[in-house]
Amino acid sequence: DTGVSQNPRHKITKRGQNVTFRCDPISEHNRLYWYRQTLGQGPEFLTYFQNEAQLEKSRLLSDRFSAERPKGSFSTLEIQRTEQGDSAMYLCASSLHYNEQFFGPGTRLTVL
Amino acid sequence: GIQVEQSPPDLILQEGANSTLRCNFSDSVNNLQWFHQNPWGQLINLFYIPSGTKQNGRLSATTVATERYSLLYISSSQTTDSGVYFCAVEANAGNMLTFGGGTRLMVKP
């Protein structure tokens, strides 16, 4: 059984560009979560899906952020018009119902 | 929302020493997990322990849910134990993990 995978692992972009990240959860995990971690801090929750339904979004998720999980399997997180403050590690996790969450390796975003 | 505090924030140990990391939380929880974050940023699951005691090799953890704290014990520390240890909780009314600020551990040879 493979773990959670994320692509790309690193992304460098210029301010104002759009970026998209992908997360593939552990197979048959129905819950998928996105978190963001800035340097020296613990991860912070952004949003989560149960199957294909996006059930909760954090106040951290501004209008420039959008997440989808179209078929209840992989998920994408898009950031439009990136800002330097968006530079962070974006982490994806999955779980089976209300159980233990398992994290992917993360996508490190640098906005120049 | 729920608050999670970890102590100490930083810890330096000599190889072979034992240590205890603490996690306090402000409300009832459904889920509590301990993670080790490696230098590449990967969060490695150590324990899923909403209550009780568990052991895995040199590591063990205890959660006393009624008193709202959890402890992570590391015995006979090794240099490979270095990194950041996070406690994360899922509140009874929540659907996501709330992380503490972490304990940064350095084990010297």
Side-chain angles (χ1 to χ4, degrees):
Chain A
D1 181 27
T2 58
V4 179
S5 62
Q6 292 187 246
N7 286 288
R9 296 291 307 277
H10 303 273
K11 179 70 177 179
I12 300 174
T13 191
K14 293 182 178 180
R15 189 177 48 162
Q17 298 295 305
N18 299 343
V19 295
T20 300
F21 310 141
R22 176 177 170 129
C23 171
D24 287 87
I26 294 171
S27 59
E28 299 182 357
H29 276 193
N30 61 336
R31 289 191 153 209
L32 186 148
Y33 309 79
W34 286 98
Y35 294 83
R36 181 172 71 183
Q37 185 177 23
T38 53
L39 200 61
Q41 306 294 320
E44 295 176 291
F45 169 77
L46 292 178
T47 188
Y48 94 93
F49 293 83
Q50 181 161 299
N51 300 313
E52 65 276 8
Q54 187 174 17
L55 296 186
E56 192 160 349
K57 293 192 287 187
S58 162
R59 292 171 297 174
L60 292 175
L61 213 65
S62 76
D63 291 345
R64 297 184 297 105
F65 288 70
S66 63
E68 295 182 342
R69 194 183 183 197
K71 297 183 179 179
S73 56
F74 73 92
S75 175
T76 58
L77 177 68
E78 181 183 16
I79 309 174
Q80 296 183 326
R81 306 181 302 282
T82 52
E83 302 173 356
Q84 288 185 327
D86 297 331
S87 295
M89 175 79 91
Y90 289 84
L91 295 164
C92 176
S94 71
S95 70
L96 182 62
H97 304 300
Y98 291 93
N99 294 316
E100 187 174 4
Q101 292 187 29
F102 295 87
F103 282 77
T107 295
R108 188 174 297 279
L109 173 67
T110 302
V111 182
L112 301 177
Chain B
I2 194 167
Q3 304 296 313
V4 183
E5 294 185 358
Q6 291 186 242
S7 60
D10 297 281
L11 185 59
I12 301 174
L13 298 176
Q14 206 63 38
E15 196 169 28
N18 302 329
S19 63
T20 302
L21 282 58
R22 187 176 179 102
C23 171
N24 292 333
F25 43 95
S26 61
D27 206 345
S28 302
V29 299
N30 284 329
N31 173 12
L32 188 146
Q33 293 184 237
W34 283 97
F35 298 92
H36 177 210
Q37 189 164 43
N38 68 21
W40 298 271
Q42 173 80 56
L43 284 167
I44 299 165
N45 290 42
L46 298 178
F47 293 101
Y48 171 66
I49 186 166
S51 64
T53 297
K54 292 186 177 180
Q55 181 157 6
N56 184 3
R58 296 181 296 103
L59 303 182
S60 64
T62 295
T63 297
V64 184
T66 54
E67 297 187 22
R68 300 181 183 169
Y69 74 88
S70 183
L71 302 174
L72 177 69
Y73 305 95
I74 304 174
S75 65
S76 304
S77 58
Q78 301 176 356
T79 56
T80 52
D81 295 332
S82 297
V84 184
Y85 290 80
F86 286 106
C87 166
V89 303
E90 180 179 317
N92 280 351
N95 295 293
M96 76 293 291
L97 290 175
T98 299
F99 283 76
T103 292
R104 287 151 190 79
L105 173 65
M106 179 185 295
V107 180
K108 294 186 172 181

